[in-house]
Amino acid sequence: MLLRYAPCFVLMLFATQTWAFKCLPVPEPIRDIKALGYYTDASNSVIDEEQLKENAAMIKPLEEFNKRVADMSDAYIEKKDVEAATCAITWLSSWAHDDAMLGKMVRINNAQADYYRQWVHGGLAIAYYKTQAVATTEQRAQIDSWLKEIAKRNLAYWDNPKATRNNHYYWTGVGIMATAVATGDADLLKTARSIYEKGIDDIKDDGSLPFEMARKRRAFHYHNFALDPLVLIAEMSRSIGQDWYAYKNKRIDLLAERVVAGYRDTSWFAQQAGISQEPVKVTGETGWVEFYRLRANHPEDFDSLHNAGPFRDPRVGGNLTLMARVGVFDKKEAVTP
């Protein structure tokens, strides 16, 4: 009997303030991904709201799956809820069994489908890392193989020399790194390292990223968006006893300091990009601050952003405030690169 037909849990808070679970069936696996690009200008900075809504409807089932697995993995690390973790593993092993996300990446007007697979891969791989202790040997083998195959497909996207290795490349690295540390795959670890170094090498002396500055009115937004995966990759290196933050004399500091300054005042980005910047709200994409401030030379510089939390983003595994607080990426002796 397939485990996917076993119940899965959703969290419910009762008046007694105790947590209980009710199992739900695993959602139908999504093999093919269809997504729509929603920018209308050459610099990819102006959003078509109707296309944005259409795209959101297309990818909603995929994002909902990612979110629910992330929520269950958070319940495990926060409350030691083994049933929640077991549920997350059940969902992951079911999708692994059915080769979810390994079908066609349907291209409508850009590579948005590939981007979503990269994002969801990272989220699910981190959730797996958080819950894999409760997986059976069979489930581990199944999920490990699946995540590695997705990693292989995602990396194949970058075989095209015309693909611009901007923030999307860094986001691919999140899934590659999370899969590497969860499965102990040395080759993927080397690949994740090369992706991380590429991102750090892209940082100019003024803390900017040329590809993200080219996004014109959304330049500041995309600097923040590019920093997020780089911090997560560096933070995951701690789980194998390494410190990738230190690469090139901790050059990542230049980007982090530039971004936090931008949250206070976007005028520098406006001057460099040649256009006023679109206002950026503090959202889950700012969750990198929860980890980074613990490694910063001047953590007080990041207090205002931290105080705007908690931060939740399923694309990087769930509740980042919680994950940082419990030290989810502290060294795991069981994982050997």
Side-chain angles (χ1 to χ4, degrees), residues 90-325:
T90 297
W91 280 36
L92 290 170
S93 62
S94 175
W95 273 36
H97 175 273
D98 289 329
D99 293 333
M101 302 197 295
L102 294 177
K104 297 179 181 178
M105 299 298 102
V106 181
R107 188 183 185 99
I108 300 176
N109 58 0
N110 72 352
Q112 197 77 355
D114 290 278
Y115 302 157
Y116 273 103
R117 181 165 66 180
Q118 292 165 10
W119 288 323
V120 174
H121 177 224
L124 295 181
I126 291 175
Y128 174 53
Y129 171 88
K130 290 157 66 180
T131 57
Q132 66 183 156
V134 307
T136 65
T137 300
E138 180 181 0
Q139 287 173 322
R140 284 194 180 213
Q142 195 168 56
I143 298 170
D144 284 7
S145 177
W146 177 57
L147 291 176
K148 289 179 183 181
E149 182 60 29
I150 297 175
K152 177 181 176 182
R153 304 284 182 94
N154 286 344
L155 288 170
Y157 170 82
W158 298 104
D159 289 341
N160 181 356
K162 294 183 179 180
T164 302
R165 297 195 173 193
N166 58 2
N167 71 83
H168 289 297
Y169 190 54
Y170 316 156
W171 278 101
T172 300
V174 173
I176 303 304
M177 184 63 172
T179 300
V181 299
T183 66
D185 189 298
D187 289 336
L188 285 179
L189 183 65
K190 291 178 182 178
T191 301
R193 177 76 189 205
S194 69
I195 293 173
Y196 177 75
E197 291 183 356
K198 165 64 168 63
I200 301 304
D201 291 347
D202 286 342
I203 301 171
K204 296 175 65 178
D205 290 344
D206 62 6
S208 68
L209 293 165
F211 284 130
E212 312 314 325
M213 194 61 74
R215 302 300 290 266
K216 298 298 183 181
R217 65 195 297 262
R218 292 175 66 82
F220 171 55
H221 166 88
Y222 275 103
H223 275 76
N224 178 76
F225 193 62
L227 177 59
D228 199 8
L230 293 176
V231 170
L232 264 294
I233 294 171
E235 188 66 22
M236 282 188 276
S237 75
R238 290 170 46 79
S239 71
I240 52 172
Q242 298 182 18
D243 179 14
W244 293 6
Y245 285 108
Y247 176 66
K248 283 201 169 178
N249 197 28
K250 210 177 178 190
R251 192 170 181 82
I252 194 172
D253 286 352
L254 297 176
L255 176 57
E257 289 164 2
R258 178 57 66 193
V259 170
V260 76
Y263 271 107
R264 293 190 294 266
D265 181 0
T266 60
S267 60
W268 186 87
F269 284 92
Q271 181 182 26
Q272 297 298 311
I275 188 171
S276 296
Q277 295 297 286
E278 181 177 289
V280 176
K281 296 180 180 179
V282 177
T283 66
E285 293 172 4
T286 319
W288 56 266
V289 73
E290 299 295 65
F291 294 112
Y292 185 79
R293 71 187 190 93
L294 302 177
R295 322 297 167 210
N297 294 328
H298 300 285
E300 66 278 4
D301 292 345
F302 300 88
D303 284 348
S304 61
L305 282 184
H306 164 66
N307 292 336
F311 298 94
R312 295 178 176 85
D313 187 353
R315 294 179 184 181
V316 280
N319 187 331
L320 292 131
T321 302
L322 167 66
M323 290 160 61
R325 187 174 74 243

